[in-house]
Amino acid sequence: MAGIPLLKLNTGNMMPVFGLGTWQLTRDTAGTVAYALKLGYPMIDTSSDYGTQPGIGRAIKKSGVGRGSIYIVTKVEETDDAYARTKSNLRELGLEYVDLMLIHRPPFTAAGQELWDGLIQAKHEGLARDIGVSNYSTGLIDELIAASDEVPVVNQIEWSPFGHSEEMEKYCDEKEIIIQAYSPLTRTNRLEDERLVQIAKKYNRTSAQILIRWNIQQGYVPIPKANQRKHLEEDIDVFDFEISKRDLIVLNGLNERYSALGSLPYA
Ligand SMILES: NC(=O)c1ccc[n+]([C@@H]2O[C@H](COP(=O)([O-])OP(=O)(O)OC[C@H]3O[C@@H](n4cnc5c(N)ncnc54)[C@H](OP(=O)(O)O)[C@@H]3O)[C@@H](O)[C@H]2O)c1
């Protein structure tokens, strides 16, 4: 993971501060991921329901990138047997272990203790180095912790200047849970926002780069998705400039609890 900084999880393990999302990265998954690996993308996010695991596995194998140099995140669904799904995810990816396994979303009526227990077992057996959650509210995370004493390392949630939550940020700070930011580019819906465009111009960068950098500088971990090579190149080209504190405050002020997916499930 040369060049891209790492951050420490509450287990002591390290995770890159930035990665590639792969939802709907199905046009040529293996080819796109191979190109991303060549550019130095240090982390890939997938899920059992994205259909991208086999292509990611092929790209990793072909790339010659050492297993220790690429960080893989995947997920189990709320109706799964989490332990069994972990094993089938590994088969699809062609890997012995993943770095991070998440519960994709909480089940409809509860925190998903059974799912969590399945992931704890998978972790104890070395199938996942770390485990975490996605789309969880603070209350639901509390429930998991109370029943298991196992604190998730990550809550993967929709997170951008246009949609974030101070309460979630404070909670995650206290529990040393990293916020992994999905749809960090608002699925492009807010890239033309005039206030964002003005800040991007000031730094001679694009709106997408400002959104990615806003996350990284505040300790959130963005996983933008890009099919197009020029987007892949642009999204990783964010490690040679710094948004000022004042502009970070302006960007934080754009919060309107916006969600590209419909609603923020944690807010
Ligand atoms: N845990 C969950 O429930 C959950 C939910 C949603 C997403 N996720 C994860 O988060 C990842 C990212 O979220 P997302 O895919 O929803 O949305 P996103 O990353 O906010 O946006 C993706 C869109 O942005 C475009 N794009 C990428 N780079 C760009 C650039 N530099 N300039 C202009 N446009 C650019 C992409 O275009 P092209 O593809 O044409 O290049 C694509 O249309 C997903 O792929 C998935 O891995 C997780």
Side-chain angles (χ1 to χ4, degrees):
M1 298 175 200
I4 308 277
L6 303 172
L7 51 74
K8 198 182 249 181
L9 303 172
N10 61 28
T11 54
N13 291 331
M14 306 300 282
M15 182 172 78
V17 301
F18 162 84
L20 174 70
T22 65
W23 178 71
Q24 289 194 336
L25 198 97
T26 45
R27 240 180 275 158
D28 170 20
T29 307
T32 310
V33 171
Y35 188 64
L37 293 175
K38 207 167 131 197
L39 290 173
Y41 276 71
M43 172 161 63
I44 312 285
D45 176 74
T46 182
S47 180
S48 50
D49 67 345
Y50 289 179
T52 55
Q53 295 189 128
I56 292 169
R58 284 198 301 280
I60 294 172
K61 209 173 220 171
K62 224 172 153 187
S63 70
V65 172
R67 180 64 189 89
S69 302
I70 179 75
Y71 192 101
I72 301 295
V73 186
T74 187
K75 314 182 188 86
V76 301
E77 302 309 304
E78 65 271 36
T79 49
D80 282 341
D81 170 330
Y83 178 76
R85 178 62 77 185
T86 299
K87 286 195 148 181
S88 71
N89 282 349
L90 289 175
R91 273 196 301 276
E92 279 197 17
L93 285 159
L95 298 176
E96 305 270 304
Y97 72 91
V98 289
D99 298 277
L100 178 60
M101 183 68 72
L102 306 177
I103 301 176
H104 203 158
R105 55 189 80 77
F108 217 48
T109 52
Q113 196 57 48
E114 232 174 275
L115 290 162
W116 195 230
D117 290 343
L119 291 196
I120 291 171
Q121 189 189 346
K123 182 180 156 185
H124 285 158
E125 292 184 18
L127 305 179
R129 291 273 156 93
D130 280 302
I131 57 176
V133 295
S134 176
N135 297 306
Y136 270 62
S137 65
T138 58
L140 287 177
I141 298 176
D142 275 338
E143 278 186 46
L144 286 189
I145 297 173
S148 66
D149 238 7
E150 180 90 17
V151 182
V153 294
V154 153
N155 190 17
Q156 186 182 110
I157 46 183
E158 186 172 357
W159 198 260
S160 78
F162 300 96
H164 57 107
S165 142
E166 214 171 287
E167 183 208 348
M168 178 60 77
E169 190 189 344
K170 275 197 190 129
Y171 176 87
C172 287
D173 257 7
E174 275 165 25
K175 297 272 191 279
E176 296 182 84
I177 296 170
I178 299 293
I179 292 176
Q180 221 173 27
Y182 78 62
S183 307
L185 307 180
T186 67
R187 291 189 172 167
T188 73
N189 294 327
R190 287 289 189 276
L191 294 184
E192 305 295 325
D193 181 283
E194 197 44 42
R195 298 158 298 177
L196 175 60
V197 169
Q198 282 312 317
I199 290 180
K201 272 191 187 146
K202 187 166 155 187
Y203 293 90
N204 206 15
R205 296 288 169 151
T206 65
S207 293
Q209 289 174 316
I210 295 294
L211 294 182
I212 292 167
R213 192 71 209 168
W214 171 85
N215 269 298
I216 292 171
Q217 279 186 224
Q218 297 185 101
Y220 319 129
V221 174
I223 46 168
K225 184 275 296 289
N227 280 288
Q228 300 178 52
R229 286 187 168 206
K230 66 172 186 223
H231 287 162
L232 286 168
E233 290 158 11
E234 192 177 302
D235 294 350
I236 198 174
D237 184 18
V238 293
F239 292 95
D240 61 349
F241 79 104
E242 188 96 6
I243 302 173
S244 72
K245 281 205 176 99
R246 186 182 290 222
D247 286 333
L248 285 176
I249 292 168
V250 174
L251 289 163
N252 282 329
L254 301 181
N255 194 9
E256 48 177 279
R257 304 229 157 186
Y258 173 76
S259 166
L261 279 74
S263 69
L264 299 177
Y266 57 82

